[in-house]
């Protein structure tokens, strides 16, 4: 199996090639920030915009680091993206999910989950703009539209025995279409994404499910809204529907709603002190994540991300 090249190597390759151009005309925050999967958008869902500061005829690069924490879990992530001529975006991300509560699964069966277990996931993405321009078409009804692919590979460690029990796969591919409309006269950005996926908890718990769970992909909508308070500051919210593939399997095994997956949502504020630097802080509600081992608690907390872009 081929390994994914390191993020530092990818960023270094882009810089060494001499293709990154810093003098760009892209408006602050209109290129979004890096999502947890690496593509440009909000924190939880991609937008149709092409990331980095590059405009037409330019090549740009961005890098980010993020942390999210809730009552029982935490997620660290980092990645890079390359924008080609404001038409194509290539991204690479690594997620590190602290799944320590999973040790409780050893009380259900001899899964052999080790204390302090982390789940890691690599995400390789490509996004292509196919219609419109969020800025140039701001005075028309036409949105910017892009199609994207995210290929994900999960490295579950000792939780692999649990994924085997659930009948989930270690890798999967999401396909999505995003439409972004920027209303400059109202300082408002609207985005809708339709994702075709069978990922459980974004892929951290594998893809699909053994019967009677849902194994096939389904269409899941995602929505974002952002209001520009000024050229450097934006506030907004996101809502991401989830497929909930595993609940029926858990119910059939006598676990009730122990494997339920809820929708994700957040309220965020994004600040760009310069065109090369931005910060995002959000309140996140990830619903219940394997509620059978967390006393059915909703996982709410914070999301913090820093991005550099050229």
């Amino acid at each position: 199996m081929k390994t994914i090249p390191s993020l530092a190597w990818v960023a270094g390759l882009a810089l060494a090639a001499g293709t990154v151009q810093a003098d760009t005309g892209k408006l602050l925050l209109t290129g979004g920030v890096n999502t947890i999967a690496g593509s440009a958008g909000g924190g939880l869902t991609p937008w149709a915009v092409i990331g980095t500061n590059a405009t037409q005829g330019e090549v740009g690069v961005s890098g980010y680091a993020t942390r999210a924490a809730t009552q029982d879990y935490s997620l660290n992530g980092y990645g890079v993206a390359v924008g080609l001529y404001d038409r194509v975006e290539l991204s690479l991300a690594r997620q590190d999910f602290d799944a320590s509560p999973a040790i409780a699964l050893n009380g259900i069966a001899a899964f052999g989950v080790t204390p302090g277990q982390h789940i890691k996931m690599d995400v390789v993405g490509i996004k292509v703009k196919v219609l419109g321009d969020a800025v140039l078409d701001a005075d028309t009804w036409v949105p910017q539209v892009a199609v994207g692919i995210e290929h994900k590979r999960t490295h579950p460690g000792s939780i692999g025995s649990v994924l085997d029990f659930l009948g989930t796969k270690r890798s999967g591919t999401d396909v999505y279409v995003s439409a972004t409309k920027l209303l400059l006269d109202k300082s408002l950005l609207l985005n809708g994404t339709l994702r075709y996926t069978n990922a459980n908890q974004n892929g951290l718990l594998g893809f699909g499910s053994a019967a009677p769970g849902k194994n096939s992909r389904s269409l899941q909508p995602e929505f974002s809204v952002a209001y520009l308070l000024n050229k450097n500051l934006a506030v907004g919210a996101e809502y991401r529907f989830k497929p909930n593939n595993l609940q029926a399997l858990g119910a059939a095994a006598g676990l009730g709603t122990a494997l339920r997956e809820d929708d994700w949502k957040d309220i965020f504020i994004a600040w760009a002190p310069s065109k090369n630097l931005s910060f995002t802080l959000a309140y996140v509600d990830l619903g219940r994540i394997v509620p059978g081992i967390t006393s059915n608690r909703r996982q709410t907390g914070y999301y913090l991300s820093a991005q550099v872009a050229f």
Side-chain angles (χ1 to χ4, degrees):
M1 180 180 64
K2 294 183 178 179
T3 58
I4 296 175
S6 72
L7 299 174
W9 183 87
V10 173
L13 179 62
L15 291 169
T19 57
V20 178
Q21 301 185 29
D23 186 14
T24 69
K26 186 170 286 187
L27 299 177
L28 287 176
L29 298 174
T30 58
V33 296
N34 289 101
T35 67
I36 56 174
S39 59
L44 299 181
T45 183
W47 299 349
V49 298
I50 303 300
T52 78
N53 286 341
T55 55
Q56 293 183 15
E58 299 176 332
V59 176
V61 65
S62 65
Y64 77 98
T66 187
R67 177 172 174 81
T70 66
Q71 285 88 340
D72 297 291
Y73 302 101
S74 65
L75 175 72
N76 294 326
Y78 55 94
V80 295
V82 176
L84 305 174
Y85 316 118
D86 202 31
R87 174 67 62 178
V88 177
E89 176 188 282
L90 307 174
S91 60
L92 183 62
R94 162 59 71 95
Q95 298 177 10
D96 186 335
F97 181 70
D98 184 352
S100 296
I103 191 72
L105 293 170
N106 292 339
I108 299 174
F111 289 120
V113 177
T114 58
Q117 180 62 61
H118 285 227
I119 299 173
K120 298 182 179 181
M121 185 168 71
D122 296 311
V123 186
V124 179
I126 181 170
K127 182 198 301 181
V128 180
K129 181 171 70 174
V130 296
L131 175 69
D133 187 286
V135 176
L136 297 180
D137 292 333
D139 58 346
T140 75
W141 62 267
V142 179
Q144 181 166 321
V145 179
V147 296
I149 297 174
E150 293 174 353
H151 179 71
K152 306 173 182 180
R153 180 170 294 277
T154 302
H155 309 279
S158 65
I159 298 178
S161 58
V162 180
L163 299 190
D164 292 338
F165 171 78
L166 299 175
T168 68
K169 300 178 179 64
R170 301 294 204 281
S171 64
T173 302
D174 290 357
V175 179
Y176 64 87
V177 177
S178 293
T180 301
K181 183 59 189 169
L182 179 62
L183 305 171
L184 279 177
D185 59 336
K186 296 179 174 60
S187 301
L188 190 65
L189 182 145
L190 304 172
N191 182 82
T193 294
L194 191 60
R195 183 182 298 268
Y196 188 52
T197 181
N198 66 343
N200 306 313
Q201 298 296 347
N202 197 40
L204 291 167
L205 291 182
F207 303 83
S209 171
K214 295 190 297 184
N215 192 53
S216 60
R217 291 177 174 84
S218 58
L219 291 171
Q220 302 294 324
E222 305 170 9
F223 301 100
S224 301
V225 58
Y227 179 73
L228 299 174
L229 298 172
N230 57 51
K231 67 177 184 178
N232 302 95
L233 192 65
V235 295
E238 299 176 283
Y239 196 103
R240 178 171 172 175
F241 288 85
K242 306 298 288 303
N244 193 24
N245 297 320
L246 298 171
Q247 181 171 332
L249 174 62
L255 301 175
T257 61
L259 298 179
R260 178 181 175 86
E261 178 178 7
D262 291 330
D263 299 338
W264 288 358
K265 56 191 79 73
D266 71 19
I267 300 173
F268 66 85
I269 181 168
W271 175 50
S274 73
K275 70 177 181 179
N276 302 120
L277 183 64
S278 64
F279 300 94
T280 304
L281 176 65
Y283 166 80
V284 296
D285 180 351
L286 306 182
R288 287 159 288 189
I289 300 176
V290 194
I293 61 174
T294 56
S295 302
N296 211 40
R297 284 188 292 271
R298 296 190 68 85
Q299 300 300 316
T300 60
Y302 73 88
Y303 168 93
L304 178 64
S305 182
Q307 175 187 280
V308 292
F310 300 93

